[in-house]
Amino acid sequence: MPAAVPVRWRGTLTLDDGSKTGIPTTGWFLDPVPPQRAPLGDLGLSCQLSCDPGRYVGNTIVAFNGPGTPDRHKCVDLLNTQLGQRTADVPAGRSACFGTEAGRVGYFTPGPGNGGQVRLQVTVWELPT
C-alpha cells in the first residue's frame, strides 16, 4: 500500500462576488501555503456577467456524490475516472474534488451563500513522493 500523502493546507476560504463589499475575491491559487487570491485560480466562482450561485470553476473539478467527504484516494480515483470539467455545480454541504495547476489534489465543501459570499472548507494534499 502506498504511503499516506500528508495534507498541505486545510482551512476556510471565502469567495466573494463583490456585490456587497465592492471587493471581489473570485478565486484562489491553492498550491501556495497559505493560498493566494486570484481572479480565477485553481478554484473560484463561475462568473460571466454575474456569478452563478453554487457553480464553481477551476482547472478540473468533479462533484463527489459519496457520503461524507472524500479522502485523497477517492479524489484521485474520481479525477482519473471521470471527465473533469472546468465548472461544476456543487450545492452547499456537498463536496467536489479538484486538481491544482501544479498537479495537487484536493476537495472543497461550500457552505450556504450569503449576500454574494460563500465560505469553502478546503483541503489540499501534498504531491506524492
Side-chain angles (χ1 to χ4, degrees):
M1 180 166 195
V5 176
V7 169
R8 179 177 180 81
W9 186 85
R10 176 178 285 142
T12 303
L13 297 174
T14 300
L15 294 172
D16 188 337
D17 69 5
S19 61
K20 295 226 178 193
T21 62
I23 304 168
T25 302
T26 53
W28 290 91
F29 284 120
L30 298 170
D31 286 312
V33 175
Q36 296 177 349
R37 291 177 186 206
L40 180 58
D42 296 308
L43 184 59
L45 291 172
S46 178
C47 304
Q48 296 295 325
L49 296 175
S50 65
C51 297
D52 300 321
R55 189 161 186 85
Y56 301 92
V57 298
N59 298 309
T60 183
I61 301 175
V62 179
F64 175 72
N65 294 317
T69 55
D71 59 17
R72 184 182 181 281
H73 180 74
K74 287 179 184 173
C75 279
V76 168
D77 283 350
L78 191 62
L79 290 165
N80 283 332
T81 59
Q82 303 291 318
L83 181 59
Q85 301 293 317
R86 300 267 310 153
T87 63
D89 293 317
V90 185
R94 299 299 305 232
S95 296
C97 297
F98 62 85
T100 69
E101 187 175 291
R104 290 183 176 86
V105 171
Y107 78 91
F108 71 97
T109 306
N114 181 11
Q117 288 186 342
V118 63
R119 291 187 187 276
L120 308 176
Q121 296 300 317
V122 180
T123 297
V124 182
W125 286 281
E126 290 287 0
L127 291 169
T129 55

